[in-house]
Amino acid sequence: MSFLPHGMAFRQALHRLAGKPLSTLLSALVVAIALTLPALSYVLIDNLASLANGVTGKPEISVFLKKEVTAEKAQAMENRLRADKRIVAIRFIGRDTALKQLAARGGFADVTGALSENPLPDAFILEPGGEDPKVFEAIRTSLTAMPEVLHVQLDSAWVERLHAAVELGRWVALLLAALLGTALIIVTFNTIRLQILTQRHEITVSLLLGATRAFVRRPFLYFGLLQGLLGGVLAWGMVQGLVLLIAPRVQALARAYNIVVDLAGPSVWQGLALLVFAAVLGWLGAGLSVRRHLHDGAVD
Amino acid sequence: MIRFEHVSKRYDGGHEALANVSLEIRHGELLVLAGHSGAGKSTLIKLIAGLEKPTAGKVWVSGQDVGSLRQNQLPYLRRSLGLVMQEHRLLTDRTVYDNVMLPLLVTGYPPRDAAKRVRVALEKVGMGTFEKAMPLTLSGGEQHRVAIARAIVNRPSVLIADEPTAHLDPAYAREIAALFRSFHAAGVTILLATHDDTLFSPYGARRIELAKGRLLA
């Protein structure tokens, strides 16, 4: 197989792109905008997923003690808990400390100041080993049975909810990608349709001189691929730029929740995947258009 | 080389362009197909090139039944034919050189050898100094020569021309006729469809005539 016709078709497609720079840029921008929305969504969701993964490894169990439990009884309970192999870390938070922490949080100082007495109980924060939800549940059950315990709260539920939200976000990003990918195909389809119309004479003459359908088709396919690729490059840049733009605002918001967020742009692999996605859709749009418009009537 | 066996062609509107035509064009022959406008000459050429399919009968070119060729086989048939259409069909946004190069690009001819072939073809039709000219800056006769150069650049075994001297002044027409004569002398089979066959009679061409789609005896 000779690659000469492909090289020629590729150069022809490049020539067509370069021949109408404004039209090329506008089409590539439309493609880029269509790609930016799902790509940006995906990158943001990916950041959120990283954040969620960071907290998944440390589920906590909060154990609130009854008011009548004395310091000695609490100490004895702590010793029993430390003997439990399923628990890897224990932290005691006395009711006074808990009140101070609550007061330190924005907006709660006035509330705690107005209280006549401290309503908060003493508590243990336990860190169970492993990641098996069944083990967490078993620990919770055994803690609930202890006479000193008022309430046990397994703090992994919100992480599960966060994971579910991330998963939902991923699906939304994928749906957006499918929807806007279709838009990209339509844009390329129409660009190629117009090209076929303007080059009808050349196509007819070429077919008359013995050109195969593949010979006529190829430059249009490469054009679609290159236009998609160009749109992909622009989209990559746009996503990177937008991430840089919104990162300080996200960080400011995260600080308000005592979370450190380092918003990352698309990785090299994600960027390359975006380029491949854009190029394939461009090729597909061009292929559909050529199939639809390059019928036998081209030769008369 | 080319054989028509009881060929008829009726277009969708019902117009019968050819009716029961049988003829044979032998290898190395110079055949003039005479007839008035609308006689069916262009349809006959389109059937040879596979641009139309016969309604009845068979058209054979180099042993191939053109009507039964698949769409992907037709390009290879067309490459063996040198077609000069009545309206030139030159690409006006390309130079003379690029127009003549087109059949070689289409067939994937190696670029270095292709350039030589283009120049030889242009020299043969006396247009060697017009390589960089754009078709619209040329006279009708010159455009015709470029179209002929494009038809012969692939060194076809059959050269087919539809009204090659139409709309040309007598001097240009004689030059074009002499060109076809020289190709015939070089061994190329030539089919010329024309309403004015007097130009070719001095060259000992066989003459057949079409009238209203029928071959006259």
Side-chain angles (χ1 to χ4, degrees):
Chain A
M1 178 189 159
S2 166
F3 290 101
L4 186 71
H6 285 275
M8 203 170 75
F10 189 78
R11 280 197 300 278
Q12 212 173 332
L14 270 179
H15 182 73
R16 283 178 193 170
L17 278 169
K20 291 182 178 169
L22 183 65
S23 160
T24 299
L25 183 68
L26 289 176
S27 298
L29 273 173
V30 172
V31 170
I33 290 165
L35 286 171
T36 298
L37 190 58
L40 182 66
S41 307
Y42 192 85
V43 166
L44 292 179
I45 295 294
D46 209 39
N47 274 281
L48 190 60
S50 302
L51 194 67
N53 286 336
V55 294
T56 314
K58 287 184 181 177
E60 290 179 337
I61 301 173
S62 303
V63 183
F64 301 100
L65 305 183
K66 289 175 181 166
K67 268 194 173 177
E68 59 269 25
V69 175
T70 61
E72 290 75 25
K73 281 185 177 174
Q75 185 59 56
M77 183 179 169
E78 186 175 342
N79 292 339
R80 287 203 309 278
L81 291 174
R82 285 194 188 282
D84 192 330
K85 300 282 185 220
R86 298 173 300 176
I87 297 165
V88 294
I90 299 173
R91 188 155 42 97
F92 177 76
I93 299 175
R95 53 203 299 261
D96 296 333
T97 311
L99 189 66
K100 279 179 197 160
Q101 283 179 353
L102 184 64
R105 286 195 187 173
F108 285 100
D110 293 343
V111 178
T112 53
L115 294 170
S116 55
E117 61 171 304
N118 183 358
L120 299 177
D122 292 326
F124 286 111
I125 307 294
L126 312 181
E127 190 186 316
E131 290 180 359
D132 187 352
K134 285 178 186 167
V135 175
F136 304 158
E137 194 54 39
I139 297 171
R140 194 179 76 88
T141 308
S142 58
L143 289 167
T144 308
M146 291 182 178
E148 299 92 339
V149 173
L150 176 70
H151 178 66
V152 180
Q153 187 177 310
L154 188 58
D155 293 339
S156 63
W158 72 274
V159 176
E160 282 170 21
R161 282 197 286 272
L162 180 62
H163 275 279
V166 167
E167 205 52 37
L168 176 68
R170 277 215 173 100
W171 270 103
V172 171
L174 279 175
L175 284 176
L176 271 177
L179 205 65
L180 294 166
T182 310
L184 191 159
I185 291 175
I186 293 169
V187 167
T188 314
F189 183 91
N190 198 44
T191 309
I192 298 296
R193 183 183 71 85
L194 293 174
Q195 280 204 4
I196 290 173
L197 282 176
T198 55
Q199 288 168 23
R200 194 153 201 86
H201 179 56
E202 185 181 339
I203 292 168
T204 304
V205 171
S206 298
L207 291 171
L208 207 56
L209 296 173
T212 59
R213 302 266 149 185
F215 177 88
V216 175
R217 233 179 0 239
R218 239 175 254 135
F220 294 110
L221 294 176
Y222 277 116
F223 184 95
L225 180 137
L226 286 171
Q227 184 176 273
L229 202 60
L230 191 59
V233 171
L234 289 176
W236 191 351
M238 279 181 184
V239 172
Q240 192 70 56
L242 286 169
V243 166
L244 287 174
L245 201 69
I246 63 174
R249 286 153 185 84
V250 171
Q251 279 160 358
L253 181 69
R255 269 198 302 275
Y257 288 93
N258 285 328
I259 303 169
V260 178
V261 173
D262 189 15
L263 202 61
S267 67
V268 173
W269 289 113
Q270 284 173 332
L272 290 175
L274 179 66
L275 296 188
V276 171
F277 181 67
V280 168
L281 289 189
W283 177 281
L284 191 65
L288 290 173
S289 189
V290 166
R291 198 186 166 95
R292 172 74 181 80
H293 300 110
L294 206 68
H295 51 78
D296 294 349
V299 183
D300 48 26
Chain B
M1 185 101 214
I2 298 173
R3 198 167 74 244
F4 278 61
E5 289 177 356
H6 307 290
V7 174
S8 297
K9 174 65 188 177
R10 188 182 289 275
Y11 286 103
D12 285 346
H15 168 65
E16 189 171 49
L18 285 180
N20 196 29
V21 171
S22 291
L23 67 90
E24 185 165 4
I25 305 166
R26 288 179 293 277
H27 181 76
E29 191 174 17
L30 170 59
L31 182 78
V32 172
L33 181 62
H36 292 293
S37 204
K41 302 188 298 291
S42 296
T43 298
L44 191 139
I45 289 174
K46 285 180 179 177
L47 287 169
I48 294 172
L51 298 172
E52 297 287 352
K53 290 200 175 211
T55 317
K58 284 182 189 295
V59 178
W60 297 88
V61 177
S62 302
Q64 300 177 97
D65 176 6
V66 179
S68 69
L69 289 178
R70 290 195 302 274
Q71 194 62 250
N72 60 354
Q73 292 174 309
L74 284 171
Y76 302 98
L77 168 79
R78 290 180 192 142
R79 290 175 194 182
S80 69
L81 308 171
L83 283 173
V84 183
M85 305 308 276
Q86 193 176 347
E87 61 279 24
H88 313 313
R89 295 198 178 191
L90 295 176
L91 303 180
T92 52
D93 60 339
R94 309 274 177 94
T95 62
V96 164
Y97 178 91
D98 288 338
N99 268 282
V100 180
M101 176 64 91
L102 194 58
L104 299 175
L105 291 180
V106 156
T107 51
Y109 207 81
R112 203 174 296 168
D113 298 338
K116 276 187 206 159
R117 275 207 177 192
V118 170
R119 291 194 174 105
V120 168
L122 283 171
E123 287 297 335
K124 272 189 184 162
V125 299
M127 294 294 288
T129 54
F130 289 85
E131 264 186 27
K132 290 177 182 165
M134 301 304 279
L136 290 180
T137 64
L138 304 175
S139 69
E142 288 165 341
Q143 287 183 21
H144 227 102
R145 284 166 181 270
V146 176
I148 294 169
R150 189 180 62 185
I152 61 164
V153 74
N154 246 343
R155 296 181 188 165
S157 51
V158 185
L159 189 55
I160 300 169
D162 192 4
E163 297 288 3
T165 55
H167 314 304
L168 295 181
D169 62 46
Y172 272 135
R174 275 195 299 275
E175 283 179 19
I176 297 292
L179 259 179
F180 282 105
R181 166 71 187 128
S182 68
F183 297 139
H184 177 239
V188 180
T189 307
I190 295 182
L191 170 62
L192 302 169
T194 178
H195 66 280
D196 177 16
D197 59 326
T198 53
L199 277 167
F200 301 95
S201 44
Y203 301 132
R206 180 159 72 101
R207 179 185 183 279
I208 54 173
E209 189 172 349
L210 274 175
K212 292 182 180 173
R214 293 175 191 279
L215 208 55
L216 300 181

